[in-house]
């Protein structure tokens, strides 16, 4: 099996290389592709150096599966022609709401992979980690409405944004002037209630994505409202979530469901430190759930805290899991 990564030098691309190294997929050749700027440089996969190829010169027929991690513009321009020669799994937002493109979280709706036209979309990182606990709870209790506030790491905005957090932090401590290039305001020692562009009704595109992707993946009847916030954390997104069910529920049963939820790990002790922080989730494949408790203002609702590595389950890991599902499906046919 041959694989390719478009955008191999970026945050998601580099993480995808690491996930593929650990995956059980037997890879004969891995092709790494990026912009002209990176062409000719090398990256290591399984102790072997691979020369990065330039996108414009790359032949898409070299790999059976191609993971795109280079943003919407590149996906828009290159994925349709690539899909004539390879199966595309795209990390960007470009194809997600296309009705002919499956939008898949591996543990939640792998059955949606049954029908695809060689393009599969990876959901937004904040959506993916939310879907993991919501799915089994929805199956059992039917979710009516979700209110979510996100605390999103800077690595979700690409490698240059991580550099900006580091340089601003240093400049702040050195009493130097702070420059913002990738964020609209200072991110070091601050937070910004704005991710992606604004849409007409006062929401941002990131908030819009969470609402609409949840409907596409899980159930169109679920109402969801989101406030998405960028915080000065390097990796892992956190979410404060209020879930309202159709009917009353049993908190102990909810906890049991979450303990058994695929891809999830419950860390929930009512004591100092008995919860997960973004730093602890970094590098881990699990989505962590903490602070599970009843909503005192509504006996059909509960609160929880969800944390996951945005570059792993929020991006690279889920795309590799999609590839594993596709290969399993191929074997079964
Ligand atoms: P990034 O760190 O900025 O990396 C961008 C990658 O795209 C680099 O490899 C870059 O190559 C390549 N690229 C840029 N322009 C190119 C061009 N003209 N031709 C070929 N390659 C080009 O971005 P990222 O965070 O990895 O995000 C990649 C995609 O995944 C985005 O669509 C993002 O929304 C999505 N995503 C990200 C996350 C996350 O948590 N970061 C989660 C889910 C989805 P060079 O190094 O050569 O410039």
């Amino acid at each position: 099996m041959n694989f390719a990564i478009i955008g191999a030098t970026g945050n998601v691309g580099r993480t995808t290389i690491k996930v593929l190294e650990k995956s059980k997929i037997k890879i004969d050749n891995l092709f790494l592709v990026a912009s002209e700027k990176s062409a000719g440089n090398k990256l290591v996969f399984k102790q072997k150096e691979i020369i990065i190829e330039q996108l414009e010169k790359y032949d898409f027929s070299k790999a059976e599966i191609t993971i795109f991690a280079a943003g919407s513009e590149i996906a828009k321009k290159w994925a349709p022609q690539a899909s004539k020669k390879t199966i595309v799994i795209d990390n960007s937002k470009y194809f997600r709401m296309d009705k002919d493109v499956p939008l898949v979280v591996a543990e939640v709706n792998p059955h949606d992979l049954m029908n695809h036209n060689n393009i599969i979309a990876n959901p937004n990182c904040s959506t993916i980690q939310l879907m993991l606990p919501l799915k089994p709870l929805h199956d059992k209790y039917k979710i009516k409405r979700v209110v979510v506030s996100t605390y999103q790491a800077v690595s979700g905005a690409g490698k240059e944004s991580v550099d900006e957090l580091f340089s601003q932090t240093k400049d702040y401590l050195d009493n130097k002037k702070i420059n913002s290039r990738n964020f609209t305001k200072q991110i070091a020692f601050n937070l910004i209630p704005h991710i992606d562009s604004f849409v007409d009704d006062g929401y941002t595109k990131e908030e819009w994505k969470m609402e609409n992707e949840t409907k596409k993946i899980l159930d169109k009847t679920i109402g969801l409202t989101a406030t998405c916030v960028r915080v000065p954390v390097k990796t892992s997104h956190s979410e404060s979530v209020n879930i309202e069910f159709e009917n009353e529920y049993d908190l102990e049963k909810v906890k049991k469901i979450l303990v058994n939820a695929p891809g999830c790990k419950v860390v929930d002790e009512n004591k100092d430190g008995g919860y997960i922080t973004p730093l602890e989730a970094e590098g881990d494949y699990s989505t962590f759930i903490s602070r599970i408790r009843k909503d005192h203002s509504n006996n059909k609702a509960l609160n929880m805290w969800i944390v996951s590595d945005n570059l792993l389950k929020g991006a690279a890991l889920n795309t590799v899991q999609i590839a594993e599902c596709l290969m399993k499906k191929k074997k079964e046919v």
Side-chain angles (χ1 to χ4, degrees), residues 6-13 33-39 55-56 68-72 74 91-93 96 122-125 155-160 237 310-311 314-315:
I6 312 300
T9 53
N11 275 344
V12 175
V33 183
S35 76
E36 190 179 1
K37 187 182 86 192
S38 310
L55 178 57
E56 286 78 5
F68 271 62
S72 285
I74 299 291
N91 275 287
S92 85
K93 63 187 170 193
R96 288 183 192 149
N122 201 38
N124 176 255
C125 36
S155 59
K159 56 187 173 178
E160 286 174 9
H237 292 348
N310 53 300
L311 296 174

Side-chain angles (χ1 to χ4, degrees), residues 91-107:
N91 275 287
S92 85
K93 63 187 170 193
Y94 188 69
F95 295 102
R96 288 183 192 149
M97 296 314 293
D98 188 323
K99 66 174 178 31
D100 297 324
V101 174
L103 181 66
V104 173
V105 179
E107 297 86 344

Side-chain angles (χ1 to χ4, degrees), residues 32 45 91-92 102 109 133 152 193 215 246 260 272 296 309:
L32 302 179
F45 174 67
N91 275 287
S92 85
N109 59 334
Q152 296 182 222
K215 287 179 189 291
E246 292 283 355
N260 292 311
D272 292 357
H296 288 156
D309 186 320

Side-chain angles (χ1 to χ4, degrees), residues 108-312:
V108 174
N109 59 334
H111 47 273
D112 286 345
L113 291 171
M114 288 307 286
N115 293 309
H116 66 81
N117 295 324
N118 270 11
I119 300 182
I120 294 149
N122 201 38
N124 176 255
C125 36
S126 302
T127 310
I128 294 178
Q129 70 183 66
L130 182 63
M131 293 303 98
L132 292 178
L134 289 199
K135 162 74 176 157
L137 292 177
H138 186 55
D139 287 347
K140 171 77 181 165
Y141 288 113
K142 196 153 178 27
I143 295 169
K144 189 175 166 196
R145 179 172 184 253
V146 180
V147 182
V148 54
S149 300
T150 69
Y151 305 70
Q152 296 182 222
V154 291
S155 59
K159 56 187 173 178
E160 286 174 9
S161 303
V162 178
D163 294 342
E164 184 155 318
L165 173 63
F166 291 163
S167 64
Q168 283 190 358
T169 304
K170 190 167 182 307
D171 289 345
Y172 182 90
L173 295 172
D174 290 343
N175 265 327
K176 285 190 186 156
K177 186 176 174 291
I178 305 268
N179 293 309
S180 296
R181 289 177 309 276
N182 296 289
F183 296 110
T184 52
K185 307 225 177 190
Q186 177 180 325
I187 186 68
F189 303 97
N190 199 12
L191 53 80
I192 304 172
H194 167 197
I195 299 178
D196 209 337
S197 51
F198 275 88
V199 288
D200 289 343
D201 55 0
Y203 283 83
T204 62
K205 198 75 199 276
E206 188 81 353
E207 292 156 354
W208 184 93
K209 282 181 256 178
M210 289 195 78
E211 183 179 336
N212 290 288
E213 290 179 20
T214 298
K215 287 179 189 291
K216 180 165 174 177
I217 296 165
L218 215 51
D219 188 336
K220 62 179 184 320
T221 66
I222 295 178
L224 185 145
T225 185
T227 303
C228 293
V229 182
R230 187 74 69 194
V231 295
V233 164
K234 184 168 121 322
T235 309
S236 300
H237 292 348
S238 306
E239 294 174 351
S240 162
V241 185
N242 180 272
I243 302 163
E244 183 182 344
F245 299 113
E246 292 283 355
N247 297 300
E248 288 188 28
Y249 65 93
D250 181 289
L251 186 64
E252 287 316 307
K253 275 195 189 141
V254 160
K255 287 184 181 174
K256 227 182 219 167
I257 289 169
L258 294 173
V259 164
N260 292 311
C264 294
K265 215 177 252 177
V266 172
V267 178
D268 189 29
E269 294 174 78
N270 295 330
K271 63 174 194 188
D272 292 357
Y275 41 78
I276 281 284
T277 61
L279 204 56
E280 294 160 291
E282 185 174 349
D284 203 299
Y285 280 13
S286 299
T287 289
F288 291 92
I289 304 161
S290 303
R291 307 289 325 278
I292 306 162
R293 62 210 189 275
K294 278 195 171 263
D295 174 348
H296 288 156
S297 69
N298 179 349
N299 53 13
K300 293 180 186 164
L302 89 146
N303 292 309
M304 64 176 73
W305 174 247
I306 303 168
V307 187
S308 195
D309 186 320
N310 53 300
L311 296 174
L312 283 173

